[in-house]
Amino acid sequence: MPFAPFKLVTMQRKSKILHLSWMAFFISFVVWFNHAPLMMLIKQDLGISDAEVEIILLLNVALTIPARVIIGLVVDRFGARISYSVLLAVCSLPCFMFALAEDFAQLAWSRFLLGFIGAGFVVGVRIIGDWFPSSQMGIAEGIYAGWGNFGSAAAAILLPGLALYFGPENGWRYAIAFTGILALGFAWVYYRNVENFPPELAGLKTKRASSMEVTSINDLFLYILSLLPLYGSLSLLVWKLAGPDEPILAGGWPLLLHICIWLVFLWHARQLVNTNAERLSQPISSIHHYRYRQVVILAIAYLITFGSKLAVLSMLPMFFFKTFSVSQNISMLDAGLLASSFVMTNIFARPAGGWLSDKIGRKLAILLFTGGLAGGYLLMALISAQWSIGLAVLVTLVCALFMQAAEGAIFAFVPLVRRAIIGEVAGIVGAYGNAGAIIFLILLTFLTYTGFFLLLGGCCVLLLGLIAYLEEPKNFITQILPDGSVIKIELE
């Protein structure tokens, strides 16, 4: 009984950390996607073209890929409290820049810089991983990500009305600026009310390395290889921006950007080698060992699940409209409302996926949800004008439930790969998700809708084979104390 008050206080503090963190993530997503529901007003006000609108949408996710890797390193070094607070405060500046923009160039640059706020997701994964035991990891990470992701939907629901309230002339500017003020204010709230570690882990020190540490030569080579899709997706984006149809990048710019991207890759690889060379030249204690293969499999899983989600969200309204506009006489507005059901399920499906992962095991949960997602995509490939709208929406909802539950199960696993580098692991896995969005969006331009859904289903089937190589994470960590003794910290 004497421990009951302490346990109650600990639960209250965990609850506070969880709620403040998902709120920070929620606000970061409101800011990240504040332009989407106001794009028609912005287009009319500044007279930008449809092609320029598409470029702004692409630029919004471009910087998030390297940003998630960078923020993963930052949060492991400085802690979540400072990292989230500074990220929200600093990213309010390009938000204000976007609100004050007078032409396409200013819109594009501020939107590109705002992509950095999408890395906030990684910070929350780290602090939730530190505060919650493994038996609650799935549900906690699921609530954090599921409720935080709803920020994009909240932006779509609330910001048009807010712009209308402020007036037709500059309403969109005030609405965008309001989200920047929200981010700036919550940065102060988060800094004042959050602690990086719970009391039982308060003695742990943050890591000082400049890049992720691995525990074998093979893992070092695998890590370098795993960076290729991230830099490749950025190069793919440059290729898309320099395409023959209304190219935004012309002259020598595409070549220069390609060279810069791959020079940064070489620098990144060199940093990895420098960080790990001395460590790998001598035996590494078994308590520090982990397999980087785990990170790669989780990253590919998130590329396919989260990456395909962003791609499907972008094409689903047009898919419903083209499929049912004649047979069922639906409008583009109706198609958009039908497609919105795809993301609304995230608020409960992702926490449910994490919760089930806590109950039946991380690996089994990912296998089950990925298998369901494969079936869902293959069914969506069969949707035609002869189907009823109700049945088509039902299949879409089932697909969305499996997809978002899979995302919850993946990030129930991520914090348990190795506790000391949660931020870096989450950064790599999260970056793969954004890279997947770019890859699938570009592939969509070469495929029919049926072919696209078949491709996504096939990717999920292939993913099932990879997941078989995952190893169920341990429920404890080991820590070396200053006197050289080793203690085991249970995480149940």
Side-chain angles (χ1 to χ4, degrees):
M1 288 303 294
F3 294 102
F6 174 77
K7 189 173 182 180
L8 179 62
V9 170
T10 301
M11 289 174 62
Q12 290 173 339
R13 292 169 77 179
K14 286 179 180 177
S15 179
K16 183 178 78 169
I17 292 295
L18 175 59
H19 290 303
L20 285 173
S21 295
W22 79 253
M23 287 177 192
F25 184 33
F26 178 93
I27 290 170
S28 71
F29 257 53
V30 169
V31 173
W32 193 15
F33 292 100
N34 58 16
H35 65 302
L38 304 173
M39 210 64 228
M40 288 306 297
L41 293 175
I42 298 169
K43 182 176 182 290
Q44 293 170 4
D45 189 21
L46 299 185
I48 60 178
S49 67
D50 290 338
E52 288 171 333
V53 169
E54 291 178 5
I55 295 306
I56 288 173
L57 297 178
L58 277 173
L59 289 175
N60 193 54
V61 299
L63 191 59
T64 312
I65 297 172
R68 286 188 167 183
V69 177
I70 294 167
I71 290 297
L73 289 165
V74 169
V75 69
D76 283 342
R77 179 165 184 174
F78 297 105
R81 180 190 180 203
I82 291 177
S83 300
Y84 231 149
S85 302
V86 171
L87 183 68
L88 288 171
V90 169
C91 287
S92 69
L93 300 179
C95 183
F96 295 136
M97 288 168 55
F98 190 84
L100 296 171
E102 295 292 344
D103 54 38
F104 169 70
Q106 293 174 8
L107 286 174
W109 274 109
S110 54
R111 207 72 238 171
F112 175 71
L113 293 174
L114 260 176
F116 213 96
I117 202 169
F121 169 64
V122 175
V123 183
V125 172
R126 167 81 213 212
I127 196 167
I128 299 299
D130 284 331
W131 272 85
F132 284 82
S134 63
S135 58
Q136 301 171 354
M137 190 70 67
I139 185 64
E141 295 285 6
I143 290 172
Y144 166 71
W147 295 7
N149 261 297
F150 193 69
S152 58
I157 294 167
L158 299 175
L159 291 186
L162 190 61
L164 185 64
Y165 172 79
F166 284 125
E169 187 174 350
N170 288 308
W172 70 267
R173 297 183 185 276
Y174 290 117
I176 295 285
F178 173 79
T179 65
I181 294 171
L182 192 63
L184 194 58
F186 200 80
W188 180 82
V189 171
Y190 198 82
Y191 183 79
R192 289 294 303 270
N193 291 279
V194 164
E195 302 164 79
N196 288 329
F197 295 107
E200 63 269 24
L201 299 179
L204 298 183
K205 300 296 182 182
T206 52
K207 199 170 69 66
R208 292 291 174 183
S210 58
S211 61
M212 187 186 290
E213 294 176 348
V214 294
T215 55
S216 73
I217 293 291
N218 288 341
D219 278 357
L220 178 58
F221 283 114
L222 184 58
Y223 188 1
I224 293 172
L225 286 174
S226 73
L227 295 176
L228 289 173
L230 300 181
Y231 287 94
S233 64
L234 292 175
S235 210
L236 195 62
L237 180 61
V238 171
W239 170 78
K240 182 67 175 176
L241 297 179
D245 300 327
E246 298 188 65
I248 299 300
L249 298 173
W253 279 106
L255 178 61
L256 180 61
L257 288 172
H258 284 303
I259 292 172
C260 288
I261 288 168
W262 292 106
L263 283 177
V264 172
F265 165 75
L266 293 174
W267 173 85
H268 194 167
R270 186 179 177 216
Q271 285 293 107
L272 282 170
V273 172
N274 289 343
T275 299
N276 288 280
E278 185 176 349
R279 295 179 65 254
L280 296 178
S281 65
Q282 49 194 315
I284 297 174
S285 173
S286 60
I287 67 169
H288 295 306
H289 278 208
Y290 76 100
R291 292 195 175 189
Y292 189 75
R293 182 180 70 186
Q294 303 272 82
V295 181
V296 174
I297 296 172
L298 293 170
I300 294 172
Y302 204 60
L303 181 150
I304 292 171
T305 54
F306 183 77
S308 68
K309 178 174 80 173
L310 293 185
V312 170
L313 278 174
S314 71
M315 56 77 73
L316 203 54
M318 189 59 67
F319 169 70
F320 278 131
F321 178 72
K322 288 188 175 181
T323 303
F324 296 111
S325 59
V326 175
S327 63
Q328 308 284 345
N329 196 31
I330 69 169
S331 66
M332 193 64 204
L333 178 60
D334 295 330
L337 290 173
L338 292 173
S340 67
S341 61
F342 192 77
V343 71
M344 296 297 285
T345 56
N346 195 67
I347 198 167
F348 60 86
R350 192 154 176 167
W355 173 81
L356 194 60
S357 177
D358 290 337
K359 300 301 179 183
I360 67 173
R362 316 296 176 193
K363 180 177 176 178
L364 178 58
I366 298 174
L367 273 170
L368 289 176
F369 296 138
T370 302
L373 180 57
Y377 276 139
L378 294 175
L379 281 175
M380 289 187 74
L382 299 176
I383 295 175
S384 67
Q386 285 69 48
W387 284 41
S388 68
I389 291 180
L391 182 58
V393 171
L394 178 62
V395 168
T396 302
L397 283 173
V398 170
C399 187
L401 287 171
F402 277 113
M403 172 194 298
Q404 287 147 10
E407 293 169 11
I410 289 166
F411 269 90
F413 198 122
V414 164
L416 302 176
V417 172
R418 190 184 178 207
R419 287 278 177 138
I421 53 171
I422 291 175
E424 293 166 56
V425 175
I428 293 289
V429 175
Y432 260 70
N434 280 81
I438 291 175
I439 292 168
F440 286 129
L441 282 170
I442 292 175
L443 286 174
L444 176 61
T445 62
F446 299 101
L447 296 167
T448 63
Y449 291 134
T450 298
F452 184 62
F453 287 128
L454 287 173
L455 170 69
L456 296 180
C459 288
C460 291
V461 171
L462 293 175
L463 177 58
L464 290 172
L466 274 180
I467 294 170
Y469 291 96
L470 274 177
E471 299 171 12
E472 194 73 21
K474 298 176 182 178
N475 293 329
F476 63 87
I477 58 173
T478 49
Q479 179 72 14
I480 300 176
L481 299 179
D483 62 3
S485 61
V486 178
I487 61 169
K488 179 188 286 187
I489 303 173
E490 298 291 340
L491 300 174
E492 285 295 348

